[in-house]
Amino acid sequence: AEEIDPFDAAAKAALEAESNGGIFFKPGEVKNLTEKIKPALVTVRQIGRDGNRRGIGAGFVVDKSGLIVTNLHVIGEGRSVEVEFEDGVIFPVTEVRAWDRNYDLAVLRIESGDRKLSALEIGDSGALEQGQLIVGYGAPLGLEFSVAPGVVSAIRKLDPGFLDETPDYEMIQISMPIEQ
């Protein structure tokens, strides 16, 4: 094997390209992805009985007919919910279409009128691998439309006692900064 001078810029670039294997995002890659999917991202707010905004979280459009996915803990129980798109347009949630406590998921419906909705394509979580780079979009501590890169730390099967219904519940463990 030929010895490579570690200070040779061309050799260093070739080595990085060969060994990158998804360890780093290419320059502008997260920005470009964010711009592409931003129209499908929403902030989800729970409205209290007093009319004030209470809980806040993130969600995304999964169907152009107005279906939005968020976490069940964001919407709570028995309260009004609204979603806001990045451009500031707000829609009331007309229906909680489905939910699952074990997975902490809720599917909401909005009536968007003449607004054309962009939907995110759902990926195959079975294709994820440990060490794969990911990007998270959310509203940590109410800081809406935040973006953070991360990595799949592990894919684990949880203890059968964790959930009552299924003994082979898989969890995707991630490492991602959530900053104030």
Side-chain angles (χ1 to χ4, degrees):
E2 185 178 327
E3 198 168 309
I4 297 174
D5 177 359
F7 299 105
D8 180 345
K12 185 177 178 183
L15 183 61
E16 285 176 1
E18 182 180 308
S19 65
N20 185 359
I23 296 173
F24 300 103
F25 287 109
K26 296 175 187 167
E29 193 171 12
V30 174
K31 179 183 179 294
N32 292 341
L33 178 62
T34 300
E35 289 302 316
K36 179 180 176 183
I37 70 167
K38 197 181 284 188
L41 302 178
V42 298
T43 296
V44 180
R45 292 189 194 91
Q46 179 193 103
I47 310 299
R49 289 187 178 101
D50 59 4
N52 292 324
R53 293 176 175 163
R54 297 286 179 214
I56 188 168
F60 56 94
V61 178
V62 292
D63 187 271
K64 294 178 181 184
S65 70
L67 293 180
I68 294 172
V69 172
T70 190
N71 293 104
L72 182 59
H73 75 265
V74 169
I75 65 168
E77 296 180 16
R79 307 265 193 284
S80 296
V81 179
E82 66 183 16
V83 299
E84 180 177 356
F85 286 83
E86 199 266 337
D87 62 3
V89 176
I90 297 173
F91 293 97
V93 169
T94 58
E95 174 186 16
V96 177
R97 181 74 182 231
W99 70 90
D100 187 302
R101 283 193 200 290
N102 291 331
Y103 291 97
D104 189 27
L105 289 176
V107 179
L108 314 175
R109 176 174 298 283
I110 63 168
E111 299 298 330
S112 62
D114 293 336
R115 181 184 180 111
K116 292 190 180 208
L117 300 177
S118 296
L120 284 184
E121 182 179 334
I122 302 298
D124 178 5
S125 61
L128 285 174
E129 297 177 1
Q130 185 177 30
Q132 185 173 353
L133 292 179
I134 56 175
V135 180
Y137 299 88
L141 302 173
L143 300 171
E144 302 149 342
F145 302 105
S146 297
V147 180
V151 65
V152 175
S153 301
I155 298 171
R156 304 189 184 281
K157 291 198 184 243
L158 295 182
D159 182 315
F162 180 73
L163 298 175
D164 296 332
E165 298 174 10
T166 176
D168 59 351
Y169 177 75
E170 281 195 340
M171 177 184 76
I172 301 166
Q173 179 185 345
I174 63 171
S175 176
M176 180 176 293
I178 299 176
E179 302 176 22
Q180 295 187 16

